[in-house]
Amino acid sequence: MAHGCWSTPAGQETVLRLKTIHDAVAALITEHAPDAVALEESYVGADARIALSVGQARGAVLVASAVAGIECTEYAPAHVKQAVCGYGRAEKAQVQRMVKAILGLQALPTPNHASDALAVAICHALAPPLLKMVG
């Protein structure tokens, strides 16, 4: 149906950046009326500040979903890669190519965040019903 990502100005206050994400997700939910929302679990790398920012953004998505009454499911990054590529340690470029092939897209989905989100959606669509209830 659609894919992409949102950008917020780096200098903007965190609360306004989170509101932008929340409002955009709420608008997508209104427009497309999904049955579910699927997220990739947070990856905590070397930079705790990035992990905190990503966690806050995920929180905005979770709140928008909860307000709309839509259940959320979360998947570990390795699980998403396994479902899409057949290998839980696949590189981002491999995930992009597989997402393109699975969805029959004309071009690689960009940026990487959009490709990652599509991979999570594919993972969710392929997940057994019992797994979808966990999250």
Side-chain angles (χ1 to χ4, degrees), residues 83-85 95-105 119 122 126:
V84 173
C85 298
V95 173
Q96 273 186 306
R97 288 191 303 272
M98 287 304 297
V99 166
K100 177 184 181 259
I102 291 168
L103 297 178
L105 302 174
I122 292 166
L126 297 174

Side-chain angles (χ1 to χ4, degrees), residues 13-124:
E13 290 181 51
T14 301
V15 63
L16 296 177
R17 295 175 86 179
L18 294 173
K19 183 181 183 315
T20 297
I21 294 167
H22 173 274
D23 292 350
V25 171
L28 276 179
I29 289 171
T30 298
E31 180 180 352
H32 295 289
D35 294 330
V37 171
L39 298 169
E40 190 173 58
E41 291 176 356
S42 291
Y43 168 74
V44 179
D47 191 339
R49 287 178 295 163
I50 292 174
L52 178 61
S53 295
V54 170
Q56 290 173 331
R58 291 176 76 256
V61 173
L62 291 169
V63 169
S65 302
V67 168
I70 299 174
E71 188 172 325
C72 292
T73 305
E74 298 181 53
Y75 297 96
H79 184 88
V80 173
K81 291 175 182 180
Q82 179 71 37
V84 173
C85 298
Y87 178 58
R89 293 180 169 222
E91 299 290 329
K92 283 202 175 281
Q94 185 178 2
V95 173
Q96 273 186 306
R97 288 191 303 272
M98 287 304 297
V99 166
K100 177 184 181 259
I102 291 168
L103 297 178
L105 302 174
Q106 296 294 319
L108 290 174
T110 57
N112 284 339
H113 299 304
S115 176
D116 291 347
L118 289 170
V120 173
I122 292 166
C123 176
H124 185 73

